[in-house]
Amino acid sequence: SIYETKKKILLLGKSGSGKTSMRSIIFSHYSPYDTRRLGPTMDVENISVRVLGRLQLTLWDCGGQENFMFSYFSTQREYIFKSVEMLIYVFDMEARDFESELLYLEQCLDAIKVYSKDAKIVCLLHKMDLVSAETRDRIVNEKTAQLMKRTGKLAVEVFSTSIFEPSLYRAWSRIMNSIMPNIEIIRQHLRQFCEVADVAEVVLFEKTSFLAIAEYQAQEARARKGTFDEMSSILKTFNLALNNKRSTSFRSIRIRLKGFILIITNFTKNTVLMVITDNPAMTVATLSSNIKIVCEHFKKLEGPDP
Ligand code: GTP
């Protein structure tokens, strides 16, 4: 299988910033409202999640209370920061003391430089729903500039997120994209499918998280940017509404509107596929049978579960 590998992801940030909330929504079928019941994380919780059957992510959800943070930077420093694939630092946008959080971030980066110098670094400006719509852009720009001043030459990606908005899926899809091995191979196969089947747009979602793993858009479809970010959260909400705790319970959704066809279907064991076409000559039946054919192909790429 092309996906087989194990990766360590650190989730850090002050207590209450939303680390456990976001990973419970993405990977454990929590709704945003369920997260209100979460207590603080004691020390580090290691959560193993499988993506596409074989890519194994170990999320290190590091409790953010001060005494824990202190030990991450002292006695536990090597244990926490060694062999890290990605550091995700979560900032609570409701908190007042951004400067003191930046000091924590700096300490994380110092440790990362020593123990995992190739780690990717992502900062999330989280709980954006609590920032008024008029001031959002300004605040994001300000905080990002402040942040960049501290990170120096390190490449840091910044996203603004909220558990109540599709932005959470946008950020986590990008996160997943950047650590997925062989993402290019998957994209190539999607591109071929688009060209052969004359489809405008195709998106592959991971089945438990509904994160968009890869997408391809034909030239003329590129104007419709970002549709799949919204789609992740719509599908997730839909699936929660069906009260399904494991994975997708629907087999497929097919919509035909004025020469425009949208199909969302259970695809391989670990994925859901969304296909959009505006080719007036296309029928739902033809498109469905084309999807079946590529599906066999993707099953081979995915390989059997270990
Ligand atoms: P520690 O485990 O102590 O480090 O905290 P944590 O970072 O894991 O925080 P947790 O996920 O437990 O979230 C704390 C509270 O923030 C919960 O009540 C969540 O419902 C709330 N919360 C999380 N994300 C958001 C968000 O995007 N917006 C808003 N308004 N609240 C959020």
Side-chain angles (χ1 to χ4, degrees):
S1 164
I2 60 168
Y3 304 120
E4 198 157 6
T5 184
K6 235 178 174 176
K7 311 219 162 180
K8 170 176 173 183
I9 301 177
L10 283 186
L11 262 176
L12 273 151
K14 270 194 180 166
S15 182
S17 60
K19 303 176 293 297
T20 308
S21 300
M22 57 174 83
R23 61 104 170 151
S24 303
I25 292 171
I26 302 273
F27 297 107
S28 309
H29 302 281
Y30 274 55
S31 84
Y33 301 96
D34 294 336
T35 67
R36 292 189 185 142
R37 306 187 252 111
L38 291 169
T41 304
M42 294 302 146
D43 202 34
V44 183
E45 243 180 85
N46 293 87
I47 303 92
S48 220
V49 288
R50 270 185 192 290
V51 184
L52 294 169
R54 291 207 173 204
L55 169 60
Q56 196 177 327
L57 304 180
T58 319
L59 296 174
W60 291 47
D61 183 352
C62 305
Q65 291 178 58
E66 222 160 299
N67 52 331
F68 299 136
M69 288 289 241
F70 181 76
S71 75
Y72 306 149
F73 300 130
S74 54
T75 50
Q76 291 185 295
R77 195 160 179 252
E78 180 172 357
Y79 167 71
I80 298 284
F81 291 98
K82 76 169 181 229
S83 314
V84 173
E85 180 77 20
M86 179 180 274
L87 161 72
I88 302 174
Y89 196 96
V90 183
F91 292 93
D92 180 348
M93 293 316 281
E94 196 186 26
R96 295 282 141 84
D97 45 358
F98 193 66
E99 274 301 317
S100 78
E101 287 231 44
L102 288 175
L103 291 177
Y104 274 137
L105 175 68
E106 271 179 346
Q107 292 192 69
C108 289
L109 297 180
D110 286 346
I112 282 284
K113 278 183 224 156
V114 175
Y115 297 107
S116 301
K117 62 177 173 41
D118 296 322
K120 299 190 173 77
I121 297 153
V122 169
C123 291
L124 302 181
L125 304 177
H126 192 54
K127 302 196 187 180
M128 283 308 292
D129 56 292
L130 300 174
V131 177
S132 72
E134 313 84 71
T135 56
R136 272 190 191 196
D137 286 351
R138 181 176 56 79
I139 293 204
V140 168
N141 290 339
E142 262 173 35
K143 303 283 181 202
T144 306
Q146 260 175 292
L147 233 159
M148 292 301 183
K149 254 190 220 156
R150 302 299 188 87
T151 52
K153 287 200 190 100
L154 285 174
V156 178
E157 252 196 299
V158 182
F159 297 97
S160 47
T161 51
S162 160
I163 57 170
F164 299 105
E165 295 169 10
S167 57
L168 183 72
Y169 293 91
R170 187 178 316 132
W172 277 87
S173 284
R174 299 297 183 276
I175 286 170
M176 202 62 89
N177 274 221
S178 75
I179 54 178
M180 280 267 303
N182 301 306
I183 192 87
E184 272 317 310
I185 298 178
I186 302 171
R187 231 176 246 142
Q188 267 170 31
H189 282 92
L190 291 181
R191 195 193 69 210
Q192 273 168 7
F193 171 54
C194 272
E195 287 165 1
V196 174
D198 198 10
V199 167
E201 193 165 0
V202 54
V203 185
L204 191 66
F205 297 97
E206 198 278 326
K207 205 178 271 188
T208 30
S209 61
F210 282 111
L211 293 174
I213 294 166
E215 96 271 0
Y216 185 79
Q217 291 175 303
Q219 209 94 44
E220 67 275 18
R222 291 208 182 113
R224 292 196 297 265
K225 258 172 69 186
T227 43
F228 57 89
D229 295 327
E230 301 265 353
M231 215 56 214
S232 290
S233 65
I234 291 169
L235 287 174
K236 189 104 188 183
T237 311
F238 180 62
N239 204 46
L240 283 172
L242 295 175
N243 199 19
N244 193 318
K245 296 289 176 207
R246 284 266 142 246
S247 62
T248 49
S249 45
F250 62 88
R251 287 178 55 99
S252 71
I253 301 166
R254 299 167 192 195
I255 299 168
R256 172 162 206 136
L257 274 174
K258 294 183 182 160
F260 164 92
I261 302 172
L262 166 78
I263 296 183
I264 300 166
T265 179
N266 249 330
F267 195 53
T268 64
K269 194 161 168 215
N270 301 296
T271 59
V272 167
L273 189 79
M274 177 174 90
V275 175
I276 299 172
T277 178
D278 41 15
N279 175 357
M282 182 66 77
T283 65
V284 171
T286 312
L287 189 53
S288 301
S289 73
N290 283 340
I291 292 174
K292 263 201 197 118
I293 296 167
V294 279
C295 182
E296 288 313 310
H297 204 68
F298 272 87
K299 276 182 184 157
K300 282 191 202 122
L301 279 178
E302 204 165 286
D305 274 1

